Amino acid sequence: MTHPQKSTSLNQKAWMRLKRNKSAMFGLVIILLSVFVSVFAYLISPDNSPSANEQILQLETHEPGYSTQLFLLPKDNLTSTGFFEGLYNGKKKNYNPIPILSYRISGDTLHYVEYRGKSFREESRAIALAAIVPADVVNKQEFVTQNLIGSKNFLLGTDKFGRDIFSRLIIGTRVSLSVGLISVFISLIIGIVLGAIAGYFRGWADEIILWVINVFWSIPTLLLAMGLYISAGSLIENKLVMIFIAVGLTMWVETARIVRGQFLSIREMEFVSAAKSLGFGDTRIIFKHILPNITGPIIVVACSNFASAILVESGLSYIGLGIQPPAPSWGSMLNEYKDFIDTNKAYLALFPGVAIMLLVLAFNLVGNGLRDALDVKGQLD
């Protein structure tokens, strides 16, 4: 007796086709890794201070892989940071990091040789243990060795302020993904609503919306984002919110065009006529009958818009209209170190450039893979 073959849904078939696309899966891995890094950025980052802005000026522009010992000089005003606050904003440091070449403890005094930078001679200093060790500590020498002397390795080197480049790249991932996510969400809301109205009702509504689409289409994306960013500057103080709005308002055109085209073809199908004959309202037909049937093209264009949003945000930050210092952004890092391209410090600009390229490439690869996987025409499986 033969058993009937288990049927496979269209979504399962699309997922199977997507899994066979190696480039799309590579892009998906990059995206998932970026999401993980952005969520747990301050737990992963070697420098978990707010905005990864721990400046050690003596260590400016040191090469990748550089490591040093640090004397963690306690601050007078100690602060505590909760777990969730540290996860979101980073932890405030209760010490001032001082790079040292060596140290020794003699009696009640800590002697150390401070590293003052490439162009300066090292300097010997001394500090009484009583000034840096709590009074209730019995073994002060052991306390200093275990709590006030540390080491730090800069995997990708340091910038001109002595900050850890690797940490700032990690925190910058959160900026790029958040801008892409919220901007695409804004663009989907506007694009789906306007595209649905234009494609479903046609007539004068279609003509007006098409005219608006053509106006926005004729303006370069980055120039339009700049105009929206500058014009909203006096109304919105939060620069990050301004970027969300400016980028989102430049991404909706492609979504509206795709949705309009899909509605023009699907509105003539029999199931739409059947819904109308049953007395269903236009809103129900649009959102419960037609829209679920065009989720594939919408997902594909959302991936494309995500990549475009990252590029637009990087472009705005590159020209100084994006995330403001000291918050790290890949675009602002690229702008800050573009003058190092023709020097032996070219890696300062290379690292953020590669990060932008990888994330944009990942979304484009996933978008192309989804387009092929969701295209049922000519598919045999």
Side-chain angles (χ1 to χ4, degrees), residues 33-176:
L33 182 62
S34 299
V35 171
F36 176 81
V37 167
S38 65
V39 172
F40 300 102
Y42 283 109
L43 294 181
I44 301 171
S45 157
D47 177 11
N48 60 355
S49 63
S51 299
N53 192 43
E54 184 178 68
Q55 300 183 16
I56 309 177
L57 298 180
Q58 302 96 314
L59 303 181
E60 61 169 334
T61 61
H62 279 62
E63 64 281 355
Y66 178 80
S67 60
T68 184
Q69 276 190 316
L70 293 175
F71 168 41
L72 310 178
L73 180 63
K75 293 181 178 179
D76 294 332
N77 51 338
L78 301 181
T79 58
S80 60
T81 305
F83 174 78
F84 291 104
E85 182 185 356
L87 184 65
Y88 181 72
N89 285 323
K91 293 186 177 181
K92 296 179 180 179
K93 301 298 183 181
N94 289 322
Y95 59 82
N96 292 315
I98 300 174
I100 60 176
L101 298 176
S102 62
Y103 76 96
R104 62 182 178 87
I105 299 175
S106 177
D108 292 331
T109 304
L110 170 66
H111 301 270
Y112 61 92
V113 178
E114 180 181 355
Y115 175 69
R116 303 185 62 207
K118 298 177 181 178
S119 303
F120 300 90
R121 292 173 58 93
E122 62 272 10
E123 186 172 337
S124 298
R125 296 181 181 273
I127 186 171
L129 296 183
I132 57 176
V133 179
D136 57 346
V137 174
V138 178
N139 192 333
K140 290 182 169 54
Q141 295 185 3
E142 182 179 353
F143 179 87
V144 170
T145 303
Q146 294 182 355
N147 297 280
L148 302 184
I149 301 295
S151 62
K152 190 168 186 179
N153 179 266
F154 299 92
L155 183 63
L156 300 182
T158 61
D159 64 10
K160 63 183 181 181
F161 296 106
R163 298 175 297 194
D164 184 15
I165 294 177
F166 180 59
S167 298
R168 292 182 65 78
L169 282 176
I170 289 177
I171 307 302
T173 307
R174 178 180 290 186
V175 173
S176 295

Side-chain angles (χ1 to χ4, degrees), residues 172 175-176 179-180 222 243 247 308-318 322-323 328-332:
V175 173
S176 295
V179 169
L222 186 58
I243 293 177
V247 178
S308 299
I310 293 172
L311 285 176
V312 172
E313 184 276 326
S314 299
L316 288 174
S317 297
Y318 183 83
I323 305 298
S329 166
W330 293 345
S332 60

Side-chain angles (χ1 to χ4, degrees), residues 15 63 121 124 303 340 366:
W15 171 241
E63 64 281 355
R121 292 173 58 93
S124 298
C303 286
F340 289 85
V366 171

Side-chain angles (χ1 to χ4, degrees), residues 201-306:
F201 293 104
R202 297 189 297 186
W204 62 268
D206 187 24
E207 293 179 0
I208 293 176
I209 293 174
L210 266 182
W211 180 83
V212 175
I213 288 176
N214 290 330
V215 170
F216 274 79
W217 199 277
S218 64
I219 305 174
T221 302
L222 186 58
L223 184 62
L224 179 60
M226 288 173 54
L228 292 170
Y229 182 94
I230 294 173
S231 61
S234 58
L235 302 176
I236 304 173
E237 294 184 1
N238 192 313
K239 301 298 183 182
L240 191 58
V241 173
M242 286 174 56
I243 293 177
F244 293 156
I245 296 174
V247 178
L249 291 178
T250 61
M251 298 283 108
W252 68 269
V253 178
E254 180 69 17
T255 305
R257 189 178 68 86
I258 296 295
V259 171
R260 174 184 175 273
Q262 294 292 319
F263 264 76
L264 286 174
S265 60
I266 293 179
R267 74 183 299 276
E268 306 298 335
M269 292 185 176
E270 294 180 355
F271 74 91
V272 177
S273 301
K276 289 181 179 179
S277 66
L278 291 173
F280 294 152
D282 293 329
T283 303
R284 173 167 179 160
I285 294 174
I286 290 173
F287 291 102
K288 288 192 174 182
H289 294 267
I290 300 180
L291 195 58
N293 286 280
I294 64 171
T295 53
I298 291 177
I299 292 174
V300 173
V301 76
C303 286
S304 175
N305 283 351
F306 214 115

